[in-house]
Amino acid sequence: RVDFAARELTWGAPGEDALLTFPADGIALGQVAALQDNASYDPYGFLGEAAGRRPRVEGWRSLTGLAPSEGGEAGEVALDATFEGGLEATLTLSVGDDGRVKMRLLPGEAALETVAYMRLRPVVDAQEAFYGLGEYFDHVDHRGQVRAMHLIPEGGIESGYNEAHVPIPFITGTRGWGMFVENPAPAAFGVASEDDDRVDVIFGTGFNTKDGLDVHLFAAPHPLDVTRHYYEVTGQPLLPARWAYGPLVWRDENDDQAQLESDLDIMRDLDLPASGVWIDRPYATSVNTFDFLPSQFPDPEAMVELTHRLGFRIGLWHTPYLDEAEASARPLIEVARDEGYYPIRSGISLNPWGKALDLTNPAAREWWKGNLRSYTEMGFEGYKLDYMEDIVPGLLGARTPWEFFDGTTERVQHQRFQLYYHQTYYETLDPQAPFLLCRAATWGDQTMGVIIWPGDLDATMTYHRETFTKADGSEVVGVGGLPAALIAGLGLGPSGFPFYGSDTGGYRHSPTSKETFTRWFQQTALSTVMQIGTSANDVAWEFEEANGFDEEMLGWYRTYTRLHLRLFPYVWSYAATLGEDGRAIQRPLGLAYPELGVHPDDTYMMGDHLLVAPVVREGMRERPVTLPPGQWIDWWTGEVVE
């Protein structure tokens, strides 16, 4: 509904309370004196703590008028919008099927020289909770939080940045609405962080203001159903290969071929369920040289044949870099340089090897895919794709310039390059059954069956940004351990990534303890993807003083890996209906049952029928659990609880 006199747009069913209201100050343009090419237009500092990165703006120009326009195509309603300072824009509304509206804000020609930011501040219910926005490690309900839609430096935390590996500008309110802003510019969401009845969304469109801002509004009878609309806009999720749903085992650094083959035999001999393995680096003569180091893996074809004969599937760790310090990579580097397969201009490298390939270049993609076929022809069936987060929109307010073959810069590719990266590998695999385990992703990645893993979490039971004592006695503000892993997965499902698996046991500060490893595999057994491995290179059947593993724990490990495998038909049933209802498989309790009025970070539904309440605190032997109405059966005792 459009109220021209009040300059207000209302989104909701006729005759019912509004789901969202955009008042006159709910749509605004951020005006600067003049656009500057060296500025990043990162808007995070408007909403969050950003020392040294406070953006500058001459003023926020709110709506002063709305009037019907004669423009617009069939099925659209076009409005002429005027803003403070004499700025003008066109606001186009188009109604989709079954509860979807697209709103497009396009500033006029005269505004393009000075408008650097576009802002939405809809009025929401002051009590509702908010889900989605991708992968974050602190809370599943975003109320009160400021979320950046890109990587930014963050002081005080061990990793040194905000861990925004999968930021998705798609938010769901528990009253049954969603908003997806389809724009790759750096952005920030202030989710009732200043006013409890406002969601504040700012996009730093800068020189791309000319492209406008596309805003998709969704409505659904239940908030779990909002994601279906998101898939209609961004693409339906593809199901990963079936072997992705069984336990997956890996070591951070395999000693050699003999060790891997021994692991396969031991898992079968000890009756430890697993469906797949992958080989992490190092295994090649240098990073990504499409070969194997003969002294380490003398007969990879025989290794793959044994893997398949024992009933496992197998993949490899990989990235789109070549190591500039290694002689074995030089022939490949020369080809990439001579053929123009590197970006026209590269920014700061955030990896230890060298420049990223320019995968916006079709020839570069085909060359890389041709090299990858040396692995797929051996029988490797999937990839763990790491890194490739070098492209950031800026540092301390200034650009880190990149220029690509397709004419784009970091202003777009910081958000979209993951699609080129993942598609390059996807196109070498079975298109109906890929295995891609990715650290970073963006909207649309779900169409390639991407599975997310959250990167290098702590091998602890500590929360995100919690201080803990390391083995050497020093203290560190951690990225987070098991609780962070759990929260990240619960945020990803409603954000359009239904398949997720953290490193069972953690990564930083390995080895993990017996208790932490046990609690972790208890939780990942009840997740969509159970991948097991840490940076300590140990496995469940290797009992060492440092990890405290023993026969008792190995028995628990067998029980839970079996449980995960037994749940495959249940999980697969929900995976198969994603294209129909879009509902996340792992569902935060507060999103599944918003009427309860609680939004715990440590309780979730696995499908409709399993409520999971894992233990995530060291030393904890009992915990409270909120049960929705109805009869619930204790999995372990069979007791019926009302």
Side-chain angles (χ1 to χ4, degrees), residues 334-409:
E334 289 176 3
V335 172
R337 185 182 62 239
D338 295 344
E339 297 296 329
Y341 295 158
Y342 286 121
I344 298 168
R345 185 179 184 184
S346 295
I348 300 170
S349 289
L350 302 180
N351 73 87
W353 303 295
K355 292 188 296 185
L357 286 178
D358 185 352
L359 297 178
T360 74
N361 182 343
R365 290 200 302 273
E366 290 302 314
W367 176 65
W368 201 251
K369 284 159 51 179
N371 288 314
L372 285 169
R373 289 191 181 95
S374 64
Y375 288 138
T376 54
E377 288 171 0
M378 287 185 192
F380 289 94
E381 300 161 273
Y383 294 97
K384 177 183 182 180
L385 298 181
D386 206 347
Y387 284 87
M388 203 44 253
E389 295 175 272
D390 308 69
I391 307 168
V392 295
L395 295 172
L396 303 178
R399 288 183 65 191
T400 52
W402 292 72
E403 295 179 25
F404 296 93
F405 175 86
D406 69 349
T408 59
T409 69

Side-chain angles (χ1 to χ4, degrees), residues 244-288:
Y245 302 84
L248 308 167
V249 178
W250 63 283
R251 292 179 186 261
D252 193 42
E253 296 181 3
N254 282 99
D255 291 343
D256 52 27
Q257 180 174 336
Q259 182 188 55
L260 177 67
E261 293 178 350
S262 173
D263 288 343
L264 301 175
D265 285 329
I266 288 172
M267 283 190 283
R268 290 297 182 242
D269 291 345
L270 295 180
D271 192 19
L272 303 175
S275 59
V277 296
W278 65 78
I279 303 172
D280 217 285
R281 66 178 173 96
Y283 58 82
T285 53
S286 71
V287 170
N288 306 325

Side-chain angles (χ1 to χ4, degrees), residues 502-566:
S502 64
D503 294 336
T504 299
Y507 191 87
R508 296 174 186 266
H509 311 296
S510 295
T512 186
S513 69
K514 172 184 175 181
E515 180 177 1
T516 298
F517 189 52
T518 299
R519 292 304 190 192
W520 213 309
F521 65 63
Q522 289 174 335
Q523 190 274 310
T524 54
L526 287 149
S527 66
T528 51
V529 175
M530 186 184 194
Q531 59 102 353
I532 308 164
T534 74
S535 66
N537 304 324
D538 53 8
V539 285
W541 54 90
E542 291 182 346
F543 307 155
E544 300 173 357
E545 183 178 353
N547 60 31
F549 296 178
D550 55 23
E551 288 289 350
E552 179 184 45
M553 190 211 73
L554 188 63
W556 298 333
Y557 175 89
R558 182 181 293 108
T559 295
Y560 279 90
T561 48
R562 281 179 172 176
L563 173 59
H564 181 76
L565 199 59
R566 287 172 58 203

Side-chain angles (χ1 to χ4, degrees), residues 106-123:
L106 184 63
E109 193 71 28
L112 300 183
E113 295 181 2
T114 59
V115 172
Y117 303 95
M118 288 194 269
R119 188 172 196 169
L120 306 170
R121 297 187 69 240
V123 176

Side-chain angles (χ1 to χ4, degrees), residues 84-108:
E84 295 168 332
L87 298 176
E88 297 180 346
T90 300
L91 191 64
T92 305
L93 305 174
S94 54
V95 180
D97 295 331
D98 193 22
R100 288 199 305 275
V101 163
K102 180 180 178 181
M103 181 169 68
R104 188 160 199 262
L105 178 62
L106 184 63

